[in-house]
Amino acid sequence: MNVLAELGDRIARARTITVLTGAGVSAASGVPTFRGKDGWWRQFRPEDLATAEAFQRDPALVWEWYAWRREKIARCEPNAAHHVIAQWSQREGCRVVTQNVDDLHLRAGTRNLIRLHGSIWEMSCWDACGQRAWRDERRLDAGRPLPIPRCPACDGLARPAVIWFGEALEPADLYAALDACTCDLFLTVGTSAVVYPAAGLAREAKRRGSFTVEINPDETPASAAVDLTIRGAAERVLPDLSRI
Ligand code: BV8
Ligand code: ZN
């Protein structure tokens, strides 16, 4: 039986499935990945700007980067990989854990979605008045960056409601993701497996007895730890699996 057929059979037989996704799942939709060649903006890497220190130092610059990403993402549609994962998520026992902040899983209709790093379409109060994660989908107007968004409650600075490097994940999300590591089948799809704690989930699932699979065109630090690696693009491999 070939590898895809074997995995398709496992998917059909699994009582519980968890899918962990990274930026590679949105690549076919046109969303820049973080560590790919398109991950840079001007002379900055994501790690330079996705931090509270960068925002403290220059909120306007960080907001320009997020406005640029929002503008790009607003023109993207969920791709075949999102649609297959959304279909699987309708099954009892299937959970989806995403590191992506583009909300394309939500737009594809995914149920039981755990968003580890928040959403680029939500904002929180930087001045910590407590106003959190309100939706704001305003776009760039005529190519000029947004005026820095303000908090509707205290008129302080608003920040993107995402988890920056050096910030703790929401405990409820982290616990839900860890709980999802107890499953028959764990698929890690389209992530470079370098950002923790998300990067440790495949190993945790294996430790808990899951059959673990990586779907990625490239090798990653997780490749040696999983039971099965499928070298391919999510938007091609997932539809093939769903047809088995
Ligand atoms: C935490 C949201 C602790 C923002 C993101 C020093 C100080 C503090 C912390 C640390 C430190 N050193 C290390 C850490 C931990 C740090 C970390 O892991 N750093 C790394 C860089 C070493 N982690 C953190 O800081 C986390 N918090 O540790 O808190 C703590 C505890 C208590 C109190 C205080 C603190 C928070 C990490 C979250 C960072 N936020 N995003 C935003 O988006 O603006 S991370 C960002 O990168 C993304 O969200 C994504 O989650 C993450 C990983 O990227 P990927 O999704 O994997 O994308 P990437 O481009 O890397 O790879 C794409 C993959 O797809 C590739 O493998 C490619 O081959 C593949 N691909 C391409 N095309 C396809 C494909 N696959 C399939 N199909 C295709 N077509
Ligand atoms: Zn406020």
Side-chain angles (χ1 to χ4, degrees):
M1 182 188 281
N2 76 23
V3 165
L4 271 189
E6 183 209 335
L7 180 53
D9 180 52
R10 281 186 181 276
I11 290 171
R13 283 184 294 110
R15 265 179 333 97
T16 52
I17 298 176
T18 293
V19 185
L20 168 66
T21 68
V25 160
S26 296
S29 298
V31 180
T33 60
F34 283 84
R35 283 153 203 91
K37 59 188 181 335
D38 53 359
W40 289 61
W41 175 73
R42 295 192 189 155
Q43 73 276 29
F44 301 105
R45 298 170 314 148
E47 284 83 355
D48 302 327
L49 297 175
T51 68
E53 294 72 28
F55 192 82
Q56 176 77 40
R57 198 172 44 248
D58 189 345
L61 176 69
V62 173
W63 262 118
E64 264 197 82
W65 178 48
Y66 278 93
W68 174 77
R69 289 172 65 196
R70 287 158 59 111
E71 192 59 22
K72 261 184 174 303
I73 292 167
R75 291 196 289 267
C76 297
E77 293 297 325
N79 65 62
H82 294 108
H83 292 305
V84 169
I85 291 170
Q87 205 184 354
W88 286 342
S89 75
Q90 312 308 321
R91 274 172 58 164
E92 209 42 51
C94 179
R95 287 172 283 190
V96 182
V97 181
T98 190
Q99 302 172 80
N100 301 339
V101 298
D102 56 35
D103 276 3
L104 290 181
H105 282 304
L106 280 182
R107 286 176 52 197
T110 305
R111 280 181 58 237
N112 299 334
L113 179 64
I114 300 161
R115 294 183 310 180
L116 284 183
H117 296 158
S119 168
I120 201 167
W121 296 112
E122 294 175 7
M123 298 183 183
S124 291
C125 181
W126 169 251
D127 295 337
C129 77
Q131 192 76 1
R132 297 169 50 71
W134 69 86
R135 223 153 165 83
D136 176 310
E137 298 181 2
R138 282 179 300 157
R139 309 266 297 276
L140 272 168
D141 49 355
R144 278 180 296 108
L146 286 163
I148 296 188
R150 311 297 298 192
C151 168
C154 72
D155 197 39
L157 280 185
R159 56 162 285 177
V162 297
I163 305 290
W164 280 329
F165 289 101
E167 292 187 321
L169 276 60
E170 292 294 334
D173 295 334
L174 186 52
Y175 297 143
L178 286 169
D179 188 51
C181 288
T182 301
C183 55
D184 294 333
L185 184 60
F186 186 96
L187 307 177
T188 172
V189 188
T191 179
S192 59
V194 297
V195 174
Y196 283 82
L201 294 176
R203 273 184 190 79
E204 177 59 18
K206 188 171 170 68
R207 193 184 65 79
R208 296 185 185 200
S210 303
F211 185 84
T212 52
V213 182
E214 176 180 67
I215 298 171
N216 192 320
D218 297 343
E219 191 166 348
T220 76
S223 304
V226 295
D227 297 299
L228 175 66
T229 55
I230 296 187
R231 288 280 161 263
E235 67 277 11
R236 280 195 291 281
V237 170
L238 297 191
D240 288 350
L241 285 172
S242 70
R243 284 190 284 270
I244 290 171

